[in-house]
Structure formats: structure tokens, C-alpha cells
Amino acid sequence: MPAALLPATVPHRALTVENPDRVVPLVPQIVTYLCGQCEVLTEVRLHPRAPIPARWPCRLCRGGAECTTDADEGVELIGMPATAKAHERKDHWAHVSERRTDAELERLLAARLALLRAGKLHSGPSHS
């Protein structure tokens, strides 16, 4: 039978070999945050044993929303850095230098120049 005509199968993850009587699902703790700017409530589902941060980004204005329950002392916002990472911009030479040694680059340059001088490389756009 062609592959296109095969009937759909149930993914292997839908079936479990674990005893369902022994599996205990974790019930998340739901923490509510109130934004002081737009007064919107944001509900966050956290792991049952996760510490509760005092502030969370508002789901509407992305400002700092305050926790409406007792937050844990000194807990940073989970999963979100306080400041955005500044990525170093690399040029082409920096990327090439990471993968090859100076001796390899010299050999490649010499080989390419030899091909160019022999007329075996395309030297620019054709004017036909």
C-alpha cells in the first residue's frame, strides 16, 4: 500500500505503560498579579514547589504587576532576565576565524588567487 494511503496511527505518546493508579499529576499553584497601571489581573500557573516572585509582567501593558498573595522574599522573576542581553555583533571575518586557523586561511587564499589568476574563477558579473 502506498505511504499516502496508509491509515493514520495514534502517536506513541498517547499510550502509556505506566500504571494509571500510581501516576499523580502535579496540580499547579495559580498566583494572581495586579497591574498598577492598567489594573488588569494576570493569572500565572507555577510549579507547586516553585517560589512565588513578588512581580510579574502584566499580560496587557508588560509593566510590573504586583503579587496579590504573599510572595517569597528575594525571589527574582522566573524565566525572564531583568535586563535584555546585548548580543555582540560579529562580522564575516570573525565567524571565519572561529572555524579556521590563520595557516588554513592563508592556504585557501593562495589557492583561490591562483584559480582567479588562471582565469578559472568567475571574476564578476557578465556583461552580455
Side-chain angles (χ1 to χ4, degrees):
M1 179 181 294
L5 300 176
L6 288 175
T9 58
V10 177
H12 69 280
R13 292 186 195 129
L15 305 174
T16 182
V17 295
E18 297 171 345
N19 184 351
D21 297 332
R22 296 184 63 199
V23 176
V24 179
L26 291 175
V27 178
Q29 61 177 333
I30 298 175
V31 182
T32 306
Y33 292 87
L34 176 64
C35 180
Q37 293 178 347
C38 60
E39 298 183 3
V40 170
L41 286 175
T42 301
E43 283 191 347
V44 179
R45 298 168 60 95
L46 298 175
H47 188 277
R49 288 183 242 139
I52 300 172
R55 297 174 61 84
W56 196 269
C58 174
R59 63 184 167 88
L60 186 63
C61 70
R62 305 304 291 169
E66 298 287 330
C67 184
T68 59
T69 60
D70 292 331
D72 296 331
E73 292 293 322
V75 175
E76 294 288 327
L77 186 60
I78 299 171
M80 297 186 71
T83 58
K85 291 183 180 178
H87 294 287
E88 177 186 338
R89 304 258 322 153
K90 294 182 183 179
D91 58 1
H92 177 70
W93 181 252
H95 285 287
V96 169
S97 298
E98 288 176 354
R99 295 188 303 271
R100 300 189 187 271
T101 64
D102 288 340
E104 288 176 313
L105 291 172
E106 288 292 332
R107 279 195 309 271
L108 285 172
L109 177 61
R112 297 299 281 187
L113 284 174
L115 288 173
L116 182 64
R117 289 179 182 136
K120 295 181 180 177
L121 283 182
H122 181 65
S123 61
S126 67
H127 299 289
S128 303

